[in-house]
Amino acid sequence: MTNTIETYLKQTCSVQTASGYLFTINHFLKTNPKAKRYKYQDIVNYMDEVSQKQANIQYRIRILSAIKKYYDYLVIVGQRSDHPCKRLTIKKPNHQSVQVQDLFTGEELLLLLTRENRYQHLDTRNNVLLSLLIYQGLTSEELTRLEVKDVDLDNGTIYIKASTNLNRRTLELKNKQMLMFAKYINEVRPVLNKYKTNKLLLGKLGRPLQVDSIHSIIEPLKALFPERNLNPRTIRMSVICNWLNESKIPLERVQELAGHKWPSTTEKYIKANAENERELINRYFPM
């Protein structure tokens, strides 16, 4: 049971995120004793005060994300029936937004798993690789860094190492991935592994896959969408967009799934359905 805001944050965020949000929320409540009854305009006014004290966009986005969590909690425990700032956002200046209309739906991405291969053993390997693209939204670089030890079939998870631009994370595997991963690791990969490497994904000659190899695997699939730009990057972008807009996963959770360091990076993938609110916040934070 969610008894306190601290418990709620620990249940819905990573340990580090929960700690940061709790600090921000406590400061917000201390300086705004009537916050429990705040309306939309009250929060816009508060964010206006924040912007006057701190021009850093990422800092302000972090504060707003924490405040949103506070009102999420109030709604869940029944202390409020409405969320006063759920759609309130802060746009990052001079930052090109994602053209979400050019991306692929979840149903379209599943078509990528229908490809057949002429080389023995590669069907299973390609299905493993493609499933990590369309279900976990990994980058090409993350795929090349994967090792066998990163896959935990007992718990149904895969560990993704941190990089310069992305956070580390442990992601759940889909039930439909479990059999293909078990077959690949236990039957197919030992046949391919001529060089005794620990890397998970191997080419037909036994060497670890490189980024160029992954792009080559995607290349024949472009015929499915001849008028659109299909590559590992647009697949990942589509997955993130679908998490937010098709599956309605909360932004903070999508940020963690994608490994984004900042909420503003994830926010770019939200389809415009509250343009009036965005215009209002832009007036309070002139670019």
Side-chain angles (χ1 to χ4, degrees):
M1 182 176 178
T2 304
N3 294 317
T4 66
I5 182 67
E6 183 175 4
T7 302
Y8 170 68
L9 292 172
K10 289 180 178 178
Q11 290 173 346
T12 57
C13 305
S14 67
V15 174
Q16 183 177 1
T17 300
S19 176
Y21 279 0
L22 184 62
F23 179 86
T24 300
I25 290 169
N26 285 336
H27 178 77
F28 174 62
L29 296 179
K30 184 177 180 179
T31 56
N32 297 267
K34 297 181 180 179
K36 187 179 290 187
R37 299 189 297 276
Y38 269 10
K39 298 184 182 300
Y40 177 87
Q41 192 59 50
D42 295 317
I43 299 166
V44 170
N45 292 341
Y46 175 74
M47 292 307 300
D48 186 34
E49 294 176 7
V50 171
S51 70
Q52 293 175 23
K53 297 177 181 178
Q54 175 55 259
N56 186 289
I57 283 283
Q58 304 294 359
Y59 174 82
R60 285 146 54 190
I61 289 172
R62 185 76 175 178
I63 288 178
L64 181 57
S65 297
I67 291 173
K68 285 183 177 182
K69 272 295 185 182
Y70 168 66
Y71 289 106
D72 283 339
Y73 166 75
L74 293 185
V75 171
I76 286 174
V77 299
Q79 294 186 32
R80 284 190 70 135
S81 59
D82 65 316
H83 191 305
C85 58
K86 192 172 186 66
R87 295 297 178 185
L88 191 62
T89 61
I90 300 173
K91 286 186 178 179
K92 193 172 181 180
N94 300 321
H95 200 299
Q96 185 177 3
S97 61
V98 174
Q99 300 302 308
V100 294
Q101 70 274 8
D102 297 332
L103 300 180
F104 303 90
T105 66
E107 190 173 317
E108 288 173 329
L109 291 178
L110 289 176
L111 295 175
L112 304 182
L113 290 173
T114 62
R115 176 195 178 189
E116 295 182 358
N117 297 280
R118 55 181 175 167
Y119 297 105
Q120 186 180 15
H121 305 307
L122 295 192
D123 272 332
T124 302
R125 183 213 61 190
N126 282 359
N127 282 337
V128 166
L129 184 154
L130 290 168
S131 75
L132 288 168
L133 286 172
I134 69 174
Y135 292 131
Q136 282 76 35
L138 301 191
T139 68
S140 297
E141 290 78 9
E142 287 174 332
L143 288 171
T144 64
R145 292 199 301 270
L146 287 174
E147 298 183 2
V148 176
K149 66 180 181 180
D150 297 327
V151 180
D152 185 345
L153 291 176
D154 290 333
N155 292 307
T157 61
I158 185 164
Y159 175 72
I160 314 302
K161 301 177 184 68
S163 65
T164 303
N165 298 319
L166 297 172
N167 292 328
R168 67 185 181 187
R169 56 211 188 272
T170 299
L171 302 175
E172 291 185 9
L173 296 171
K174 301 284 187 182
N175 289 335
K176 61 188 72 175
Q177 290 177 283
M178 297 298 288
L179 277 179
M180 72 171 78
F181 270 73
K183 180 179 179 181
Y184 174 70
I185 290 173
N186 298 321
E187 300 176 24
V188 174
R189 188 180 173 282
V191 176
L192 294 173
N193 192 15
K194 299 181 177 68
Y195 296 92
K196 306 304 178 186
T197 176
N198 294 322
K199 295 291 186 179
L200 177 66
L201 298 172
L202 307 178
K204 63 178 181 286
L205 299 180
R207 298 186 184 280
L209 286 183
Q210 302 299 314
V211 169
D212 288 346
S213 307
I214 294 170
H215 280 261
S216 297
I217 292 170
I218 300 299
E219 188 69 28
L221 299 172
K222 291 184 177 182
L224 291 169
F225 310 101
E227 304 299 323
R228 292 153 79 186
N229 187 18
L230 180 72
N231 57 53
R233 181 173 179 271
T234 58
I235 293 172
R236 170 176 161 82
M237 292 169 67
S238 299
V239 171
I240 297 170
C241 182
N242 294 337
W243 281 337
L244 285 167
N245 301 293
E246 288 186 8
S247 302
K248 305 298 182 185
I249 300 175
L251 186 142
E252 293 88 349
R253 177 56 179 155
V254 173
Q255 179 191 347
E256 294 175 353
L257 291 172
H260 291 155
K261 293 182 180 295
W262 298 102
S264 59
T265 305
T266 314
E267 212 167 36
K268 293 186 299 179
Y269 294 87
I270 298 176
K271 290 183 178 179
N273 57 3
E275 202 58 39
N276 290 338
E277 287 85 348
R278 290 177 182 270
E279 290 174 3
L280 179 60
I281 198 65
N282 279 335
R283 289 204 302 270
Y284 279 88
F285 296 99
M287 300 304 181

